[in-house]
Amino acid sequence: MCAWPCWYNPDTKQFNFRKILEEQKGITGVYPDILHMWSWCYTFRDGEYGQRWGNFGDVDYDNYGGMENFRNALHDIKDNMGVHVSLYMHPTLLSVCYDKYKDFENTSLVKHESGCRIGVHGDSFRMCHAEEKFREASLSMYPRLYKETGIPLIYVDEFSLRIGNRCYADNHGHHIPSNLLKTDREYISRLKDIMPEEVVLYGEYAA
């Protein structure tokens, strides 16, 4: 589910998950196996909704009437309707709208071969998950989100082997340029080690 306003009413602080799932069942005869919350972190700016990355919690819950309201809605469909919930997370993108972007702007940005930073939509930038400060902060999001939501299915997005994502910074503790197979594998291995055994992690690429 990725259309921001359709499944939540900010005025009533009510979710439309049940209505949408019932409509799906009316078409296919069954509920979907998984409700994947892709673009659940968003901002509303200049009259438009936009996705944001790199925080996945605290202020993001404010869009849903608080953490408990969000958690209760997810568990309603998971526990009472039998539809598994998957929460989307991205390990390396960080949006400038978050205060913590400033903590990493001067230390952790991926440096492109051209010397530039790598951006998405002009307001979010790739951080290097080999750089220790950002890596530890990024890793800490996953167990924290599980603790807050109780959802044991988490999507780890875009561990890609795209050459353009290699980092050329000389102070991040990796080879120049970074070896994406190595940095991805090290990150994923650490993530698996720190997560409770009952949590399922999955993504779109294998590394």
Side-chain angles (χ1 to χ4, degrees):
M1 244 183 211
C2 61
W4 294 292
C6 78
W7 45 267
Y8 181 72
N9 186 325
D11 295 326
T12 63
K13 295 182 171 55
Q14 297 294 312
F15 288 84
N16 297 322
F17 289 143
R18 281 182 166 268
K19 178 182 177 182
I20 294 170
L21 291 172
E22 291 296 346
E23 289 178 355
Q24 179 74 17
K25 186 177 181 180
I27 296 171
T28 66
V30 294
Y31 294 130
D33 294 326
I34 297 174
L35 177 67
H36 178 53
M37 300 291 293
W38 175 57
S39 199
W40 66 275
C41 298
Y42 68 88
T43 186
F44 187 74
R45 189 169 51 206
D46 299 327
E48 295 183 356
Y49 287 87
Q51 188 174 5
R52 58 189 184 187
W53 291 274
N55 190 66
F56 304 105
D58 53 75
V59 296
D60 298 308
Y61 297 136
D62 294 342
N63 289 326
Y64 308 109
M67 182 180 70
E68 285 302 313
N69 200 46
F70 185 57
R71 177 188 175 105
N72 291 340
L74 298 180
H75 280 270
D76 175 45
I77 58 175
K78 174 180 174 290
D79 301 337
N80 299 323
M81 300 183 73
V83 177
H84 293 286
V85 177
S86 164
L87 289 175
Y88 170 94
M89 298 185 76
H90 198 295
T92 63
L93 282 175
L94 183 57
S95 298
V96 299
C97 62
Y98 294 117
D99 291 339
K100 70 179 184 179
Y101 176 83
K102 298 175 183 178
D103 296 336
F104 303 104
E105 184 177 19
N106 295 323
T107 60
S108 311
L109 281 164
V110 168
K111 183 179 180 180
H112 187 260
E113 185 177 11
S114 66
C116 298
R117 58 185 179 175
I118 301 175
V120 178
H121 304 312
D123 61 2
S124 301
F125 296 89
R126 294 195 184 281
M127 299 291 166
C128 180
H129 55 296
E131 192 279 314
E132 182 178 9
K133 179 182 176 182
F134 179 77
R135 181 182 66 240
E136 297 308 309
S138 176
L139 285 167
S140 71
M141 294 189 302
Y142 292 82
R144 188 258 303 153
L145 183 70
Y146 172 57
K147 181 179 180 180
E148 292 172 350
T149 65
I151 297 300
L153 183 58
I154 299 177
Y155 184 87
V156 186
D157 192 20
E158 209 175 53
F159 268 110
S160 73
L161 302 182
R162 299 175 190 166
I163 292 176
N165 286 346
R166 293 183 300 182
C167 182
Y168 285 78
D170 59 9
N171 59 346
H172 288 177
H174 55 64
H175 296 294
I176 310 299
S178 59
N179 182 326
L180 294 179
L181 274 173
K182 184 176 187 294
T183 56
D184 287 2
R185 183 176 180 82
E186 289 175 350
Y187 186 99
I188 293 170
S189 296
R190 281 284 310 282
L191 182 57
K192 287 172 63 180
D193 288 343
I194 66 174
M195 292 303 290
E197 187 174 333
E198 68 270 19
V199 176
V200 176
L201 302 169
Y202 75 110
E204 63 184 319
Y205 299 104

